[in-house]
Each structure stands twice: as C-alpha cells, then as structure tokens.
Amino acid sequence: MGMAAESQFHVLAVDDSIIDRKLIERLLKTSSYQVTTVDSGSKALEFLGLHEDDTTNPSTPCVSPNNHQEVEVNLVITDYCMPGMTGYDLLKKIKESSSLRDIPVVIMSSENVPSRISRCLEEGAEEFFLKPVRLSDLNKLRPHLMKTKSKDQHQKQEKQEEKSAFQSPKQQQQEKEEHQQQQQASNNKRKAIEEGLSPERTRPRYNGITTVV
Amino acid sequence: MDVVKLQKQLVDYRASLYHEAFLDEQFTQLQELQDENNPDFVVEVVSLFFEDSERLLNELAKALEQQSIDFKRVDAHVHQLKGSSSSIGAQRVQKVCITFRNYCEEQNVEGCLKCLQQVKHEYSLVKTKLETMFKILAAGGSIPM
C-alpha cells in the first residue's frame, strides 16, 4: 500500500436522528471521507464485527455471518444521547474490545455538560463535538486518523520524533490544534466546557489562553 | 417575473428570515454544504425536518393527552425536536423547546401544554417561510453565496 489517499479514510457515523445522520454524512463526504451511517450503537457494533455481549473476543467472531472485519473503519463518530445504547456505552464497548480499541472515537452531543464531556474523554474518546457539528470541527479529526495510519508506518513515526525532539507527540498535536483553534476564534461559544477540565486530555486551549467564552 | 427581481426577492426574503430569528447561522452552514454534486441537499434536509417534526408533534400531543403523563417520554420527544431544529437552524423552534424541557423537568402540565401550542405555532411559521423560499428558488432565483 502506497501513500494512503484521503478518500480511503472510512468513518462510521452513529446517530439515531435521521437529520443528523444526513448532516454528518454530508460533512464527512465534503471532507473527503468514506462514510457509513447507522442509527444505533448495536448496529455500529454489528458493523464493526462485534456482538454486544462479546467484549473480549480477540479475533474474528466466527459466529456472525456478517463478518465486517475486512471493511476497515478508521474512526467512529457517535451521538451521545441515543435510546438503548448511548454513545458512551458504545465508546466503552469499543475500548474494551482488543480488536477495536485502537479505533479513534469521537462523541457528539447537543448538550454542553462538562461532567459528561470529561467522562467521555476519560473513557478514551479523542474529541467531543458540540452539535450542530461544523466543517471546522471535522478538521480536528485528521490528526487522530493520521496517528492510526502512522502506527503501521514506523518510518513516519521516526520522522516525527526527529522533528520534535523536545515535544511529546501529544504536545505537537496540541500545538497543531491550538493553531486551528486560533483561526476559529468565533467558535468560542461552542467550547464553553473547557474551563473545568483536566489539561491532560486533548482539550488544547490550556496553554495560557483564557479567552474561551 | 424577471430573474433580477426574483433574485432580489429571494435575498430580501432570506434576510428577513435571519433578521426575525426564524433561521440562524446553522442554516447558512447547510447551504455551504450544497454544491453541484449535491444540488438538493438543503431541500432534502429540510424535508426530513418537516417529516420528523410532524411525527414528533403528533407524539407530543398524544403523550400530553394521557391521564397520567409520562414526562420522561414527553421530554425525550422535545429533546429530539430541539436537536433537529438546531441542526437546520430553526432558531425559534429550538428556543421554545428549551422552555418546554424545563416544564417537563418540573412536571408542569400547564406549562407543557402551553409550550406545545407555541412550538406548533413556531414550527408552522418556519415551515411556511422555508416553503416560500423554496418556491422562489424553484421559480428561478438562486441563493447568492
């Protein structure tokens, strides 16, 4: 496999609202991602090749006739509030699965609840987007997807380490995101939750920038 | 009607929708997602919104008619309506939903019934406005970006 073209990133979008599914699909396609949308957490797990009660299966679940393991999913973006399995439940299941845990997961929610956001981030979500999601939010996905790709490409990783001898990859990523954030000053209102959060997670505006709201 | 007049009519009409808060910047975002490859995107999303909202308004009316009202159920429907109106930029509908949810939390029947009327009203207003706008579009106006 040569240089991965952007269109090869495959995103699985999960949302019970048909309007939001249409919206996220368009947003993702506009950003050149391949998209599959499903309307529930259980359908998402099915698509990913995992069954609800199957959290420790390390390899191919041989029971399912729909083994989707060949369909690679590079990122899961899910709504938080869904009937049945919430986005948080889905996140947990993915992170508990040895075959799926490396897939980056992003949570979306219409509600700005700091405790909800930190809970998701602590459980391993890469980002938390407030709805309605914008194209500018999707730009934040790229670093997470590139990270996954470079895991298989040692060369790329070495290059990064060379370039940033003094920085941890996370700091690097933070700076990248910070730069993007500065360009989106008008979106401040959407990030009202950050003030109380631990600086460890990827909420990159902590380096002295206080003009959040 | 000549195209220039139509264009002006469309621009003015659209401006008034924003001015009166029927629509907010999210609607602009939708328009920006439309292009030659997806020329009907806005109409499609808005049509989904109409269908979904009408379903939810029916469910709400039913739920509030019950002898013993299930406020959790009512709240769940309002939450959905709030979400979808926010996704297309129907600001006034969204605002009523916020108040509606507060009444649900308080288990205030009167408040809920009032809000149901209000949200139905706001919904029908924005629906008419959007349909009018689409008519102008169909007649040959286009939305300058």
Side-chain angles (χ1 to χ4, degrees), chain A residues 75-102:
Chain A
L75 184 134
V76 174
I77 180 165
T78 176
D79 187 24
Y80 182 93
C81 280
M82 295 188 292
M85 192 187 294
T86 66
Y88 178 75
D89 298 328
L90 176 59
L91 165 68
K92 272 187 83 177
K93 297 241 185 231
I94 291 175
K95 293 304 169 185
E96 281 165 8
S97 153
S98 42
S99 58
L100 302 176
R101 71 162 66 104
D102 287 334

Side-chain angles (χ1 to χ4, degrees), chain A residues 5-7 30 39 59 61 70 85 87-88 99 103 129 153 158 182 197 200 204 206-207 211:
Chain A
E6 280 167 0
S7 57
T30 299
D39 64 7
S59 57
E70 326 88 58
M85 192 187 294
Y88 178 75
S99 58
I103 300 178
F129 294 155
Q153 295 168 28
E158 273 170 47
Q182 278 160 4
L197 293 182
E200 253 109 42
Y206 279 96
N207 302 5
T211 53

Side-chain angles (χ1 to χ4, degrees), chain A residues 140 173-175 177-195 197-199 201-213:
Chain A
K140 302 204 183 85
Q173 184 189 318
Q174 277 185 344
E175 287 200 335
E177 287 176 327
E178 228 172 74
H179 178 62
Q180 281 174 352
Q181 296 280 355
Q182 278 160 4
Q183 292 173 334
Q184 298 160 29
S186 59
N187 280 347
N188 282 357
K189 67 174 165 73
R190 303 159 51 71
K191 302 299 172 189
I193 39 82
E194 294 172 311
E195 309 258 328
L197 293 182
S198 124
R201 280 322 243 114
T202 49
R203 306 310 299 172
R205 284 136 127 265
Y206 279 96
N207 302 5
I209 299 172
T210 51
T211 53
V212 175
V213 179

Side-chain angles (χ1 to χ4, degrees), chain B residues 72-86:
Chain B
K72 277 218 158 97
R73 198 182 151 84
V74 176
D75 182 69
H77 291 317
V78 180
H79 173 78
Q80 277 187 57
L81 185 57
K82 174 171 158 280
S84 55
S85 54
S86 153

Side-chain angles (χ1 to χ4, degrees), chain A residues 146-161:
Chain A
M146 295 314 289
K147 232 187 340 179
T148 331
K149 282 279 172 179
S150 67
K151 258 191 179 150
D152 311 319
Q153 295 168 28
H154 291 286
Q155 254 191 342
K156 227 181 195 172
Q157 191 122 37
E158 273 170 47
K159 265 203 184 145
Q160 272 188 354
E161 282 168 343

Side-chain angles (χ1 to χ4, degrees), chain B residues 7 15 39 45-46 56-58 61 69 75 78 82 101 109 123 138 141-143:
Chain B
Q7 301 263 24
V45 179
V46 171
L56 287 168
L57 290 171
N58 283 333
I69 297 175
D75 182 69
V78 180
K82 174 171 158 280
R101 289 195 81 191
V109 183
Y123 168 72
S142 66
I143 300 179

Side-chain angles (χ1 to χ4, degrees), chain A residues 60-72:
Chain A
T60 319
C62 40
V63 194
S64 163
N66 306 326
N67 182 5
H68 286 281
Q69 294 260 337
E70 326 88 58
V71 180
E72 205 195 339

